Structure formats: structure tokens, C-alpha cells
Amino acid sequence: MPKHVVIIPGDDAAPEAMAPAVEILKSLALDLTFTEFPSGVEGVQQYGSRGAFDAALREAIDRSDSTLFGSTNGTTGGLNHLRWGKQTFANVRPARWRPGFRSPLKNPEHIDFVIVRENLEDLYMGLEGDLGLLSSLPVTSWLTRKPLDTTPTGKFAIKVITEEGSRRIARFACELARKRKAQGGRGKITCTSKYNMLRDSDGLFRRVVEETAKGYPDLHYEQYIVDDFARRIVASPGDFDVVVMPNLYGDILSDAAAGTIGGLGLAPSGCYGETYAYFESIHGSAPDIVGRHIINPTATLLSAIMMLEYLGFEAAASRLDQAIVHVYADGQPLTPDQGGSASTMDFCAAVRRYL
Ligand code: IPM
Ligand code: MG
């Protein structure tokens, strides 16, 4: 059975990375078929409305084995469906330095860790509103022992951490660390959250991860409060293997992690659920460079490699990975974010030569 993937190019400069990346995927001549959507602005025009475009994306996603998603500024929908609709609870964000990556750190050689970000809970559930709405809630601060004052004009946001949600991300992280250990990895799980201050919510997350890790005696377990971890990610990123954390910290710290290896242009991600996974670069839609064809397609290509692995095309994934490694080892042609002056297409052409 051929595998079928949906290509969503996204908005602003993201389609400029997606188009040549998809050409490369096609050149691999795999048993892989594609449904390709237009970019956000064209899609809304073509389908008549944002709603119709979103509905078409959802239907296509439901018929597919996976999706490669270009960054969105909100014009292209689909993200809600890909995350909450498909219950892709584990956001895997590798930070791996390769020779030629323009890291700002002096010794980036040992950076090879993966952030496993819980992807569906925490402050990301859209539960916000006027403070006054909470007036009938019997909540008292464990810190000040005072009830919530809902009289000021203001807003609230609700953070939800569940035991089940924490357990499944903890298991996922442990399984990943085990898999990496079998391939020579450190066999280490690091848990981070603000468990000293958010004692109930982040405290639950930490407790569940710690308990889960006990079921993996072959792995080393450690934990850091998230502010301390933020320093460590800059000071000693080479110490980490698999790091598991709630949603919002994962969003913020995966950008920081990308910074340690040389920037967002190099940082891929995959969002995995029980029955579906989709793949996207960590970076945004780069509106500042739209139309210039200088966006670094590496993040999109590395995300595509994660997708190929997920779909069972391991050999092709490894070939593509090696081709990218070769181009960076050569040190040219690279895009401006990596100190070069090449276009997105020049870079992709070099990858194709190595392929
Ligand atoms: C990311 C992005 C998204 C997030 C935005 C676009 C909603 O920042 O994938 O890291 O916060 O999850
Ligand atoms: Mg982000």
C-alpha cells in the first residue's frame, strides 16, 4: 500500500521552503503519494472562504497517513485539527548540531538532545476570559491563603495538567530515550517544570514523570526547575538527551534549543499521537523575508526526514539526512541565516546533487 501525505505550504515565506522540499521528496521516488494544497492566501481565494479552505484541509488530513505542514500566520488553518483533532500529544523537537551549523556557542559539538513537549494541555487549551467570570469559583491561593479577587478588571487563563496527559507524554519520552540509548544515546530523561511555584499543576507533571521513569530502570532520571533548565540549555546543552516538559515551556525552550545549534532554520519537529503524526518546522512564517527565496529549507527538510521515518521509509530518510550533512560539511551553498549567500533553491540543488 502506498503511503499518502498532505502538503500544507503555509503562509508568508514558508511556501518558499516547502516547494523545493517537496520536489526533493518526489525525487526520492518512494511509494508515496501527495495531496498538495496552495499557500494560505491562494487557498482562501481558491476555496472561496477561510472556512471552506479549512474544511478541505481537515478532510484531506483525515484521509492521509501524515501531513507536512508549513508555518502559518493564521491564514492557513489546520493546526487545531492536526493537534487537538488528531490528538497528537507528543511534540518532538530535536536539537542536534551538525558540522557547518552556525552555532553561537563555542563548543556545540555535543549538542544532541530532544525536547518532548506535551502538546495538548497546559495553557494551550484556549480557556481565557474576563476575571469576573470566576467570581463563583471557590479558589484560594495556597500561597497567600486568600480567595481569588475577581473584582479588578482583568483576564484569566486556565492551565490544565492531567495525570493521564502527563503519563502518556512521560511514557513517550521514556520510550524515545530507550530507543536512542539502543542507538548509542545517553539513556537519560530530564523532566522540567515550575514545580516549586505551581505546586499542584506542574507538581503533578513532575511527580508523574518521576514515577513513570521508575519503570525504566535502564534510564537515568533527573529534574530541574524550568528557570534553572533555561540557563543549562545555554550553558551546558551537551548534557541532555531527552527532556520532557509541559506545553508552554516546550514552546519557549524549543526556540532556545534551536538557538544553541544555529537557529530556527535548522530546527524540525514532529507531533505524534496514537494513530497519526504530522511534521512541521519550529520556525514561524518569516514575513520579513517573504518573496526573497532565502528562507532556510533545512528545518522543513529535517521535518520531512522525521516524516519518512514515521512512514517506514528509513533508508530514504537516512539518505536525505546524509545529503544535508554533506552540504553543511562543505560549508556551501548555505542560506544567509547560516552566513552564506545562497538562495533556498541553490541549497536544495546541492542537496539533490548529493542524493
Ligand atoms: C510552535 C508555534 C505554535 C505554538 C504557534 C504557531 C501556535 O509557536 O509550534 O512552536 O505555540 O505551538
Ligand atoms: Mg513556537
Side-chain angles (χ1 to χ4, degrees), residues 72 79 83 91 93 117 124 251 254-255 280 282:
T72 173
L79 204 58
R83 290 193 185 176
N91 190 341
R93 301 194 146 180
R117 164 191 182 191
Y124 265 70
D251 180 33
S254 56
D255 275 40
E280 60 177 342
I282 292 180

Side-chain angles (χ1 to χ4, degrees), residues 51-292:
F53 182 38
D54 284 2
L57 293 177
R58 278 197 302 274
E59 274 168 38
I61 290 164
D62 287 345
R63 286 195 309 268
S64 71
D65 294 295
S66 187
T67 293
L68 189 59
F69 189 83
S71 306
T72 173
N73 61 18
T75 312
T76 299
L79 204 58
N80 281 356
H81 189 57
L82 285 166
R83 290 193 185 176
W84 288 273
K86 306 304 276 183
Q87 286 287 297
T88 50
F89 65 91
N91 190 341
V92 174
R93 301 194 146 180
R96 182 176 179 191
W97 184 83
R98 307 316 251 295
F101 282 13
R102 200 189 192 198
S103 168
L105 302 185
K106 213 189 285 171
N107 301 111
E109 295 80 20
H110 301 296
I111 306 175
D112 180 8
F113 65 97
V114 183
I115 287 180
V116 176
R117 164 191 182 191
E118 197 291 321
N119 211 28
L120 305 175
E121 300 191 336
D122 193 5
L123 279 162
Y124 265 70
M125 298 171 79
L127 301 170
E128 296 185 289
D130 288 324
L131 195 53
L133 282 175
L134 302 183
S135 60
S136 55
L137 273 190
V139 276
T140 301
S141 162
W142 64 258
L143 188 70
T144 63
R145 301 190 190 282
K146 289 193 182 133
L148 175 66
D149 178 6
T150 56
T151 54
T153 304
K155 303 283 183 184
F156 68 84
I158 291 182
K159 169 175 171 112
V160 176
I161 302 278
T162 68
E163 195 163 328
E164 185 43 41
S166 304
R167 204 173 304 285
R168 68 178 175 179
I169 198 68
R171 275 202 213 104
F172 187 98
C174 290
E175 291 295 333
L176 180 62
R178 196 171 254 181
K179 209 163 117 200
R180 282 167 62 86
K181 190 176 181 186
Q183 294 159 0
R186 285 191 177 77
K188 181 153 114 174
I189 286 282
T190 305
C191 172
T192 186
S193 68
K194 190 75 186 173
Y195 46 80
N196 55 336
M197 187 61 199
L198 296 165
R199 295 201 308 199
D200 279 337
S201 51
D202 282 10
L204 173 66
F205 186 86
R206 185 200 61 76
R207 182 168 59 73
V208 169
V209 175
E210 191 177 17
E211 266 169 29
T212 306
K214 286 204 177 100
Y216 294 78
D218 47 319
L219 300 178
H220 175 72
Y221 174 78
E222 65 183 16
Q223 58 193 31
Y224 297 108
I225 299 171
V226 67
D227 40 354
D228 179 25
F229 178 76
R231 178 188 59 80
R232 288 169 190 272
I233 222 173
V234 178
S236 50
D239 287 352
F240 299 115
D241 179 19
V242 174
V243 191
V244 61
M245 62 190 79
N247 206 337
L248 182 63
Y249 311 133
D251 180 33
I252 297 167
L253 293 170
S254 56
D255 275 40
T260 66
I261 58 163
L264 287 167
L266 307 169
S269 90
C271 297
Y272 300 79
E274 305 291 353
T275 57
Y276 196 80
Y278 86 96
F279 299 83
E280 60 177 342
S281 60
I282 292 180
H283 64 67
S285 60
D288 52 324
I289 53 169
V290 65
R292 294 177 56 201

Side-chain angles (χ1 to χ4, degrees), residues 317-331:
S318 152
R319 268 183 68 215
L320 179 51
D321 188 66
Q322 283 311 305
I324 293 168
V325 163
H326 276 302
V327 177
Y328 276 96
D330 288 347

